Amino acid sequence: GQQVMQIPQYQHVQEGEDFTTYCNSSTTLSNIQWYKQRPGGHPVFLIQLVKSGEVKKQKRLTFQFGEAKKNSSLHITATQTTDVGTYFCAGWGATDSWGKLQFGAGTQVVVTP
Amino acid sequence: DTGVSQDPRHKITKRGQNVTFRCDPISEHNRLYWYRQTLGQGPEFLTYFQNEAQLEKSRLLSDRFSAERPKGSFSTLEIQRTEQGDSAMYLCASSFMTASGTDTQYFGPGTRLTVL
């Protein structure tokens, strides 16, 4: 079955630095979504990417969907303490029904001032 | 928009007991999802409804788990004969699936289940 993997599992960043987290699927995805979960909170939707090679930006966050629609990345520039949390990617397989969202295990981000 | 609500927020039960959780989605949303999340993992899909119809159920979901959405509004998730391995955060999410396939899921605060 489809598997979604994220690397790294853990990212320790100095405030002001940039970092990238990666998401890889074992199968082609129809689309990919990114969520953020703050410590003790619930996942909050960030963005959805649908098209091959699509790039979307939200302020300091840049999301990219791979050409083969099997991978994605999230790049954060000038990290702030408010970026602390776990970032999950989630996708629907190309042959799955549009309901069964498969989440990765997440990248936990810790920011030191 | 009052958000997705879940009740109870915490549940402690003894092994073998039955538990039931409730989820109230955002009112205009036609889809409702149940997930389970354990420490250090992403949400794991359990099942989802479109209106009152249960459209998919995870193969990982044993027969002890059942979910309903009788009137297409709130939903309940019941776990019978709980086991210690059922201890997890149970998350509910709702969405309005558009014709273009956009499906932004809004998560509730979750119900944390502890099975002793």
Side-chain angles (χ1 to χ4, degrees):
Chain A
Q2 174 193 331
Q3 288 189 327
V4 177
M5 295 149 287
Q6 286 186 253
I7 52 172
Q9 275 189 299
Y10 183 82
Q11 181 80 52
H12 188 178
V13 191
Q14 285 283 119
E15 192 173 16
E17 289 183 342
D18 303 350
F19 76 91
T20 303
T21 178
Y22 300 91
C23 177
N24 296 291
S25 171
S26 57
T27 58
T28 303
L29 300 171
S30 296
N31 61 34
I32 196 150
Q33 299 180 359
W34 285 87
Y35 291 79
K36 178 182 179 181
Q37 186 171 22
R38 294 183 183 273
H42 55 272
V44 175
F45 175 85
L46 294 177
I47 209 157
Q48 175 172 289
L49 304 170
V50 179
K51 298 176 184 176
S52 170
E54 188 171 13
V55 178
K56 286 188 176 179
K57 292 188 176 183
Q58 286 181 353
K59 298 181 180 178
R60 294 177 297 102
L61 277 60
T62 301
F63 303 85
Q64 186 168 8
F65 201 6
E67 294 290 339
K69 300 183 77 173
K70 294 182 74 173
N71 57 73
S72 180
S73 64
L74 161 59
H75 181 76
I76 301 182
T77 58
T79 306
Q80 299 176 358
T81 55
T82 53
D83 295 324
V84 165
T86 300
Y87 293 82
F88 294 101
C89 64
W92 287 315
T95 57
D96 285 342
S97 67
W98 282 49
K100 186 178 178 181
L101 203 57
Q102 182 82 34
F103 279 79
T107 293
Q108 184 181 353
V109 176
V110 174
V111 181
T112 51
Chain B
D1 179 359
T2 58
V4 178
S5 61
Q6 292 187 244
D7 183 70
R9 297 289 304 276
H10 303 273
K11 179 70 178 180
I12 300 173
T13 191
K14 292 182 179 179
R15 189 175 52 185
Q17 297 294 304
N18 299 343
V19 294
T20 299
F21 309 143
R22 177 179 170 125
C23 172
D24 286 272
I26 294 171
S27 58
E28 63 268 25
H29 284 181
N30 56 3
R31 286 196 164 193
L32 187 149
Y33 306 80
W34 284 100
Y35 294 90
R36 178 170 59 192
Q37 187 176 28
T38 54
L39 194 63
Q41 298 298 316
E44 176 190 15
F45 172 84
L46 295 179
T47 188
Y48 87 99
F49 295 83
Q50 178 144 324
N51 301 312
E52 65 273 14
Q54 188 174 16
L55 295 188
E56 189 158 355
K57 189 175 174 180
S58 169
R59 286 173 290 177
L60 301 174
L61 211 59
S62 79
D63 291 342
R64 297 184 297 107
F65 288 71
S66 62
E68 292 183 345
R69 194 183 184 197
K71 298 181 180 178
S73 56
F74 74 92
S75 176
T76 58
L77 176 69
E78 181 183 18
I79 309 175
Q80 296 181 327
R81 304 181 303 281
T82 52
E83 302 172 354
Q84 287 184 327
D86 296 331
S87 295
M89 176 73 84
Y90 289 84
L91 293 164
C92 174
S94 72
S95 71
F96 185 82
M97 174 64 108
T98 67
S100 63
T102 301
D103 188 40
T104 300
Q105 297 190 19
Y106 295 84
F107 281 80
T111 294
R112 182 168 295 284
L113 173 66
T114 302
V115 182
L116 302 176

